[in-house]
Amino acid sequence: MQDLIQRLAEWQEELAAIRHDLHRHPEMGFEERRTAALVAGKLREWGIEVAEGLAGTGVVGTLKGRRPGQRAIALRADMDALPIQEETGLPYASASPGVMHACGHDGHTTMLLGAARHLAENPDFAGTVHFIFQPAEEGLGGGRRMVEEGLFRRFPVEAVFGLHNEPGLALGRFGIRPGPMLANVDTWSVTFRGTGGHGAVPHRATDPTQPMASFITALQGVIGRNIPARETAVLSVGHVAAGDARAPNVIPSEVRVSGTGRSFSPGVREIMGRRLRELAELLAAAHGCTAEVAYRHDYPALVNTAEGVALAAAAAGALASADAVDTDFPPITAGEDFAYMLQERPGAFMLVGNGVAEDGTFHHVHTPRYDFNDALIPIGAAYWVSLVQHALGTAETAGQGA
Ligand SMILES: [Zn+2]
Ligand SMILES: [Zn+2]
C-alpha cells in the first residue's frame, strides 16, 4: 500500500498548488464561496457528481463504484479559515489581512480532493462515496447546519469519517481512539451587580468585585471537589471586565467574567454548569450582590464508534507499519463540529501527524506561524482511498461495516 502514497505523490505539484491557492485566499465560515467554487469545479472536472449550496457554501461530491452495491460512506473535509493575521512570511501567505488558514483546512480540502480524483479514476469499489466539503467548522457549526438541512437524508450513508492534521505528531503517524476523542465545548459568562460607590467609603456600597474575586478562585474547586477524579474537566477564565481605568477610586457597580468549559461526558458537563451557577449566585448573595449567569453548550463531544475506529485504523495501518497508528491517542480538550455528524451516523475522526521541525519544535494550529505540511497531502489522500477500499471494496477486510 506504500505505492498508494507514491501514486498520489505523482500529483504532488498539482495538489500542492491547489493547497497554496486556497491558503493564499482564505475565507471565513459560511463565506467560502471562492473555495466552494474551486472544489465544485475540480470535482466536476474529474467526472464526479456535485451538489452545491448545502448549509450555504457546502459542497458534496458523489461517486459510484464500478461494481454494484447499495452501501455508502461519507468522507468529510472542512474549508474555512480563522480570524488570525498570518506571520509565516510564505510566498503563498494569506492575501486577506486578518484571515488565515491557521488550522490546515486548506490541506484537509486538498487531501480529500486528491482522494476524490484518484477514486474517480479507479472506482474499484462497490457502493457509493460522498465527499463532504463543509463550511464553517471554526465555531459557527457548519457541520451541524448541514445535518439539520438534511445532509444524511439527501446522501444516506452507513458511516461518516473525518480527518484532521495534528502538529507535533510525527509526519504521517496516525492517532485515534474509540469513544470521546474531542471535548464538549461550553461558553459561560457571569455578571455580578452591586450598587458600586466611592472607593473611599466602601461601607456605603455593595462591591461586586468581592464575589467576582472569590468566584474566580472557587471555580477551580469545581474541578477538584465536584468532578470525579477519573474524569477530565476544564474551566478557564478568558475575560474579565470591570470599572474604568481612569477612575480607580470608584467601586464599579457591575463586573463581568467569562470563560470556557471542556469535558467529555454529559454528566460532567451538567455538574460544571450547575456548580458554576450555584457558586456565582451564592457568592453574590454573600456579598449583597446579584449574579446573572449564562452557560451555553457549544459543540458536543466528538465520539468515535469502536467499529469506525477499527476500520479507520486498518485503513491507516495498510499505508504504514501498524505501529504508526496509535489507537489509544489521548483525548483532546479542543472541540470539533464533526461531532454533529457522528451524532447522526457511526464513524470515526482520525488525526494524522503534521510533523515536527528538526529542532523538535512546531507551530500549533490557530497560531500565526502555523502551516499545513505539504508532505502530508499524498499521505492523507492515500488514507482516504485506503478507507474506501477497506469499507467498500477491494482490501482484505472488505465488507466489514462501520
Ligand atoms: Zn481549528
Ligand atoms: Zn481544524
Side-chain angles (χ1 to χ4, degrees):
M1 290 288 265
Q2 267 293 338
D3 56 327
L4 187 55
I5 296 177
Q6 258 135 41
R7 287 189 60 188
L8 282 146
E10 284 167 21
W11 295 334
Q12 178 67 4
E13 211 173 312
E14 192 181 334
L15 290 172
I18 293 175
R19 213 276 292 177
H20 297 173
D21 181 42
L22 294 173
H23 193 90
R24 186 149 181 77
H25 301 100
E27 295 172 298
M28 294 292 292
F30 294 126
E31 295 169 7
E32 308 93 334
R33 283 174 284 275
R34 184 183 183 279
T35 308
L38 185 151
V39 166
K42 290 288 175 194
L43 293 173
R44 284 201 184 96
E45 186 185 322
W46 301 326
I48 295 168
E49 203 181 309
V50 175
E52 288 176 89
L54 289 100
T57 45
V59 178
V60 176
T62 296
L63 179 67
K64 287 188 170 23
R66 184 184 289 140
R67 291 183 283 120
Q70 297 304 311
R71 301 175 55 212
I73 63 167
L75 317 178
R76 169 274 202 178
D78 38 17
M79 302 190 290
D80 57 322
L82 284 155
I84 292 176
Q85 179 61 44
E86 181 160 352
E87 292 172 14
T88 61
L90 290 162
Y92 53 84
S94 172
S96 306
V99 185
M100 175 190 177
H101 266 299
C103 202
H105 299 183
D106 50 344
H108 301 166
T109 296
T110 304
M111 293 190 296
L112 190 56
L113 281 174
R117 181 175 173 188
H118 180 91
L119 288 163
E121 288 185 12
N122 307 278
D124 193 17
F125 58 91
T128 304
V129 179
H130 298 292
F131 306 96
I132 300 172
F133 295 86
Q134 79 149 75
E137 189 285 323
E138 299 288 0
L140 295 173
R144 181 185 58 210
R145 202 171 132 192
M146 283 188 110
V147 167
E148 285 169 357
E149 290 184 8
L151 176 68
F152 294 125
R153 287 193 299 277
R154 198 165 156 195
F155 305 98
V157 295
E158 65 186 57
V160 62
F161 296 88
L163 177 66
H164 205 293
N165 78 96
E166 178 71 3
L169 184 63
L171 178 71
R173 288 185 80 89
F174 291 88
I176 196 166
R177 67 180 299 106
M181 182 158 125
L182 286 107
N184 291 312
V185 177
D186 303 332
T187 302
W188 56 265
S189 73
V190 180
T191 305
F192 292 101
R193 291 193 181 88
T195 61
H198 198 304
V201 283
H203 60 288
R204 293 198 189 126
T206 53
D207 178 358
T209 68
Q210 292 294 302
M212 177 167 83
S214 300
F215 171 80
I216 288 175
T217 49
L219 203 54
Q220 297 314 320
V222 174
I223 308 298
R225 301 293 84 181
N226 302 130
I227 307 292
R230 65 180 180 279
E231 300 276 6
T232 300
V234 179
L235 282 168
S236 290
V237 172
H239 184 243
V240 169
D244 187 326
R246 294 165 303 181
N249 63 342
V250 175
I251 297 167
S253 59
E254 187 176 297
V255 303
R256 191 163 186 269
V257 53
S258 57
T260 190
R262 305 296 164 107
S263 59
F264 290 97
S265 77
V268 170
R269 191 179 215 185
E270 188 277 327
I271 293 169
M272 289 202 306
R274 177 167 48 81
R275 285 296 295 146
L276 184 142
R277 178 178 296 277
E278 285 171 359
L279 285 174
E281 289 175 352
L282 293 170
L283 287 167
H287 292 273
C289 297
T290 61
E292 186 185 323
V293 181
Y295 194 97
R296 189 182 75 214
H297 289 178
D298 295 334
Y299 291 173
L302 181 149
V303 183
N304 290 326
T305 61
E307 296 77 8
V309 169
L311 194 61
L319 299 174
S321 56
D323 66 356
V325 187
D326 181 356
T327 53
D328 190 23
F329 197 82
I332 297 171
T333 48
E336 237 297 338
D337 91 338
F338 185 61
Y340 291 106
M341 296 192 190
L342 284 178
Q343 284 184 333
E344 296 294 310
R345 289 294 181 278
F349 186 70
M350 180 65 96
L351 297 174
V352 60
N354 196 53
V356 182
E358 268 174 26
D359 61 0
T361 62
F362 62 91
H363 295 286
H364 215 298
V365 291
H366 294 215
T367 62
R369 293 176 65 193
Y370 162 85
D371 191 32
F372 182 87
N373 189 341
D374 283 333
L376 191 48
I377 295 172
I379 299 170
Y383 164 73
W384 282 132
V385 173
S386 176
L387 186 64
V388 171
Q389 292 173 345
H390 279 74
L392 300 177
T394 53
E396 286 158 28
T397 48
Q400 178 189 336

